[in-house]
Amino acid sequence: ILGGISYGLANGKAQALSDVIIESAGEAVSLSITMLGVMAMWCGIMEVARQAGLMDRMTKFLSPVVHFLFPDIDRNHVVNEYITANMVANMLGLGWAATPMGLKAIKEMAEIERARIKKAHKDISKIKMRASNEMCTFLVMNISSLQLIPVNIIAYRSQYHSVFAAAVTGPCLVATMVSTLAAVFFCRIMDRSNKKGDVL
């Protein structure tokens, strides 16, 4: 930033630089308001879906997928609902809306790991807590995140007057599908490797 400002001033572009800064600040505020509206709408829809029981149905529907990714978590544990809600939000391209459920899922996974350690060792005060296999898998799946509808990107493109804002849907679907498959493959290999290490 300092380099850019210095270069502009050195070349007599102080007025142009000032105009660009003011214009960019205005665009940032406008974009923030747009994205706030999009996030509020989809968070509201997710809450309506939860209260209407749709999230419970989605949890049951995605139960085989969740159990495959997190085989050591009890199927009836509340964390499954948080994981499912996070996955659905990510599939809709709602990274911001996925964050609250993601944080709750990680918190529950930490409690599960703490309970495992306590069961194996009576005194857990001397044992250093670490991320469990489930926590690492969840993080990797969030980074790869399959997106059926990239709502945030579409909103960005619409804000900047794209002729066809939804044109990125197909490429995003293909790219995130490949990244998610790679993430699943990687997580399963690492999970087995870590379990073998624990046994040894």
Side-chain angles (χ1 to χ4, degrees):
I1 293 173
L2 290 175
I5 293 174
S6 299
Y7 182 82
L9 293 174
N11 286 276
K13 303 289 185 180
Q15 184 59 46
L17 188 63
S18 177
D19 292 342
V20 167
I21 290 173
I22 294 172
E23 183 181 347
S24 297
E27 285 185 8
V29 172
S30 179
L31 181 61
S32 297
I33 293 172
T34 300
M35 296 311 297
L36 180 63
V38 172
M39 184 180 70
M41 180 189 73
W42 282 103
C43 283
I45 290 174
M46 292 289 285
E47 181 62 21
V48 170
R50 189 186 68 77
Q51 293 190 20
L54 290 176
M55 289 309 302
D56 291 336
R57 294 181 184 179
M58 287 182 183
T59 300
K60 290 179 181 178
F61 179 74
L62 291 175
S63 178
V65 177
V66 174
H67 183 65
F68 173 76
L69 293 172
F70 308 96
D72 295 329
I73 294 180
D74 185 0
R75 287 176 181 265
N76 297 319
H77 199 285
V78 68
V79 72
N80 292 306
E81 182 179 334
Y82 298 145
I83 292 171
T84 302
N86 178 269
M87 289 175 66
V88 170
N90 275 323
M91 286 179 187
L92 295 174
L94 303 168
W96 294 345
T99 300
M101 291 297 105
L103 293 174
K104 288 182 179 180
I106 287 292
K107 184 178 180 181
E108 290 296 330
M109 289 179 191
E111 290 298 325
I112 292 172
E113 182 65 10
R114 191 172 287 108
R116 284 178 188 160
I117 293 174
K118 191 173 183 180
K119 186 177 180 181
H121 307 276
K122 292 182 179 179
D123 184 12
I124 64 172
S125 61
K126 297 179 181 179
I127 298 175
K128 187 177 180 180
M129 287 293 295
R130 65 176 185 175
S132 64
N133 288 344
E134 290 85 5
M135 294 167 76
C136 293
T137 298
F138 185 71
L139 179 62
V140 172
M141 294 307 299
N142 263 269
I143 293 170
S144 65
S145 75
L146 173 66
Q147 290 190 7
L148 302 177
I149 308 172
V151 174
N152 284 347
I153 297 177
I154 291 173
Y156 284 131
R157 287 169 59 84
S158 178
Q159 174 69 19
Y160 288 103
H161 313 293
S162 172
V163 177
F164 184 29
V168 295
T169 302
C172 280
L173 176 60
V174 173
T176 56
M177 190 177 295
V178 172
S179 67
T180 300
L181 288 173
V184 171
F185 184 69
F186 173 78
C187 288
R188 297 313 298 154
I189 290 176
M190 294 305 297
D191 185 49
R192 290 179 182 178
S193 176
N194 287 338
K195 285 180 179 177
K196 286 182 180 178
D198 289 341
V199 170
L200 294 174

